[in-house]
Amino acid sequence: MVARQKPSIGTPWASRIARGAFLRWRIALTSAVDRATDLVAAIGSSIRRAREATRSLLARAWRTAFIGWRTALTRFAVHARKAVRGLRIGGIRRAARAWVRPSAAPGLDLRDVPAAVAASACLIAAAAGFAVAAGLRSGPSLWSYGATVVVWSAARLAVLRALAPSAGIDAGAASVSWAISLPPFAIGAVPGLGLAAFALSAVFAYRALVSFDASSRNALRMVAWAYGSHAAGVVAATIASALLSG
C-alpha cells in the first residue's frame, strides 16, 4: 500500500499573507502618492495665489504712490509758477555761494529759493544736454532722468518741510536746505554717477540743515527720511516693474 503525501497547509496561508501585505503596501503607497500629489498641487496653487496677491498689492501701492506724487508735483508746479514771477536775480549769487559752502545757507531767505531752483535747473539741463551730445544718453533715457529728478526732488521737499518742526527749524529753512541740495544732481546726468550725485546731495542738505541750528542728530534724521524714502521708492518701483512685466 502506497502512502499518500499530505497536502501542505502552510503554503496557502503564507501566500494569502504575502498577497494581503502586498495589497496593503500598494494601497498605502498609492494613498501616499495621492497625498503627495495633492500637497504639491496645493503648494503650487498657494504660491500662484500669493504671487498674484503680491502683484495686485504692488500694483495698488504703485498707483497710490503715483497719484500721491502727481498731486504733490502739481502743487509744486503751481507754487513754482508763482515763485518764478517774483524771481530775484540776486538770489542766484547767494545760492551759488551756498553751493560752494553749504554752511552759508542762512544767507538765503525763502524768497531766494525760486532763483536757486531756476539756477539748479539750468545747471542740470546743461549737464543733460552734454550727456546727450556726448552720446551718453538717448532720448528715453534723458526723459527718464529728468522725470526722476523732478518727481523725487518734489518728494524730498515735502518730507523735509514736514519734518522741520520736529527738528526745531521752520519750513523755510528746510526749503532753503533743499534748494542747496539740488545742483549735485547735474552729475547724475552722466550714467553711472547717479549714486555719487545722490550721496553728494544728501551731504549738502545735511550741512545746510545744521547751519540753520538743527542738531546733528535731527539733521541726519531728516536727511535719512528724505533720501531713504527716495531709495526705498526706487527699489519698490524696480520690484513692481519686474513682477508686473514677468
Side-chain angles (χ1 to χ4, degrees), residues 20 31 61 82 95 129 142 162 185 210 216 242:
S31 177
K82 293 179 180 179
L142 180 64
F185 283 103
V210 171
S216 298

Side-chain angles (χ1 to χ4, degrees), residues 215-237:
S215 67
S216 298
R217 181 177 180 180
N218 286 334
L220 185 61
R221 178 175 57 86
M222 293 176 68
V223 170
W225 272 108
Y227 288 82
S229 299
H230 181 166
V234 171
V235 172

